[in-house]
Amino acid sequence: MNAVPDSRREDREIERLIDAILVTHGYDFRHYAEASLRRRILRASDRFGFATIGEIEAKVLTDASFFSRLLSELTVTVSEMFRDPEVYRLLATDVLPVLATYPSIRIWHAGCSTGEEVYSMAILLKEEGLLERSTLYATDINPAALQKARAGVFSASDMQKATTNYQRAGRREAFGNYYSASYGAAVIERELKDRIVFAEHNLATDEVFSEVHLVVCRNVFIYFDKPMQSRALRIFHESLLFKGFLCIGSRESLEFTDYEPHFAEVSHAGRIYQKREVR
């Protein structure tokens, strides 16, 4: 009998691992982009010192604390404050003036990671005089990332990069006003934290989150396959009020998706869209 090729065996082991994660812990990775997920699984195998992916599966089935560490490897937690500064410039000019016409404002950051971008939005709202009537919902699949986001503690080097991004976004206040520095760490000011509600939400398995005026989900779609992208867009569409806004990542687009007809493009450069009625 011929031996099973290594690549086919690896494929089967990955499928079993994904099934084990779903059955044991309720996280569904079946519709994540295959190549990206494979890279992260193999990287995790090396990091944790496993000889085979089958060994990861066995550990997942028996050790809940290990799974929480594995989850941090399988989900993307790369972020920074005011990332892609031009997007924040466009949000300030093209979106916030519309949101300012509402008596209260609700914004959902889906896939908020460790919180840098939702804090950036809170700063933007404060400078536009809108923070006090805004509620920001920040959700992620990764509990460890959410814990860091809630704490709002970042490194001094993070703040240096954030200050540069902030200035490139056309903002003119003293960025140091938004955090307190101590022993090489920066703690986000309480005024910003108090407007943010952090919660777990899984775009693969959970449903509509809330009725919101703006959904921000940047650089998340690229890790989903087409059916999963369509599911996420349905959730965002149903969560948005009529004429609400959607902002996605610079490498993402609604073009050729099922929900392209349901949104009007506000800014191609900013990947900002507005929900519209489709007859």
Side-chain angles (χ1 to χ4, degrees), residues 132-156:
E132 289 187 354
R133 52 188 167 112
S134 298
T135 302
L136 295 89
Y137 302 97
T139 66
D140 201 89
I141 187 178
N142 186 338
L146 282 173
Q147 183 176 359
K148 181 175 180 180
R150 285 191 188 97
V153 179
F154 304 100
S155 70

Side-chain angles (χ1 to χ4, degrees), residues 71-101:
L71 186 61
S72 292
E73 296 293 324
L74 299 186
T75 55
V76 179
T77 56
V78 177
S79 187
E80 62 186 41
M81 296 186 75
F82 287 92
R83 177 168 57 171
D84 300 326
E86 180 62 16
V87 173
Y88 288 90
R89 186 190 298 270
L90 291 165
L91 286 168
T93 59
D94 297 350
V95 176
L96 294 193
V98 178
L99 300 192
T101 64

Side-chain angles (χ1 to χ4, degrees), residues 80-82 157-167 175:
E80 62 186 41
M81 296 186 75
F82 287 92
S157 60
D158 289 338
M159 290 301 102
Q160 291 175 358
K161 175 66 172 175
T163 301
T164 300
N165 287 346
Y166 169 84
Q167 292 168 346
F175 190 69

